[in-house]
Amino acid sequence: MSPTANPSRRQNLSTSRILQAVTVTANPRKDDNGNEMLIDITPRASKRLREIMSQDSNRTLALRVTVQSGGCHGFQYLMSLTNSSAISATEDTVFEASDGTGAKVVMDEPSLELLKGSSIDYTMELIGSQFKIVGNPAATSSCGCGTSFDIKM
């Protein structure tokens, strides 16, 4: 039976907007209006980060997300794994998924300003698997591969 013939057996392999609660474990930040600057970590991203920590036998790994100028739309997302020892106590904000996986995402303040309200997801597509930013409220347009974006000035 094909996955489409039985909706309960469908498997979504692309971007999801299933959100879960996160906890800010270091340096909570507020925007100019006094609102907390938060991001979400989808269950799929949280699960993948837990798998990476387990495979590497390193529970101190976190996903660092930064924004730099460049890319085909003005800004580009950069993601890398980092150890907790490399997290700046004054510069970085640390988000932890509230699902018990220990999954953490780290952002510096300028990147968080551009990504607040976004979600970190893990996508599995024919062209490959990757962590991805989805639902960035600051983005007015983005490239086809989703690694760069433009904002309204």
Side-chain angles (χ1 to χ4, degrees):
M1 179 187 317
S2 79
T4 57
N6 183 351
S8 65
R9 294 188 61 197
R10 278 190 201 160
Q11 191 174 34
N12 185 358
L13 298 177
S14 63
T15 304
S16 72
R17 287 290 291 160
I18 300 169
L19 305 179
Q20 65 185 36
V22 296
T23 303
V24 180
T25 61
N27 290 332
R29 308 262 186 203
K30 295 192 178 202
D31 63 17
D32 293 338
N33 297 322
N35 300 313
E36 272 191 285
M37 292 194 289
L38 299 172
I39 55 103
D40 286 306
I41 304 170
T42 66
R44 194 167 32 212
S46 176
K47 179 182 175 205
R48 182 62 184 135
L49 282 168
R50 183 190 71 229
E51 289 168 354
I52 292 169
M53 289 186 292
S54 178
Q55 288 169 356
D56 288 358
S57 299
N58 186 349
R59 300 287 302 162
T60 67
L61 285 179
L63 180 67
R64 178 173 291 281
V65 180
T66 55
V67 175
Q68 291 184 343
S69 61
C72 56
H73 273 76
F75 293 97
Q76 59 187 348
Y77 305 114
L78 299 174
M79 297 187 206
S80 61
L81 294 172
T82 188
N83 282 305
S84 294
S85 60
I87 296 171
S88 170
T90 56
E91 305 280 326
D92 293 326
T93 299
V94 180
F95 300 92
E96 184 171 342
S98 298
D99 60 2
T101 60
K104 292 182 181 81
V105 173
V106 180
M107 289 185 197
D108 58 33
E109 188 171 9
S111 298
L112 183 54
E113 281 281 345
L114 294 169
L115 297 177
K116 63 185 175 188
S118 299
S119 295
I120 311 299
D121 196 12
Y122 184 74
T123 61
M124 297 168 286
E125 300 168 351
L126 292 176
I127 59 171
S129 302
Q130 65 181 343
F131 288 101
K132 198 171 197 175
I133 304 296
V134 295
N136 182 352
T140 57
S141 63
S142 63
C143 66
C145 64
T147 60
S148 69
F149 66 101
D150 192 13
I151 61 169
K152 188 179 194 178
M153 296 299 239

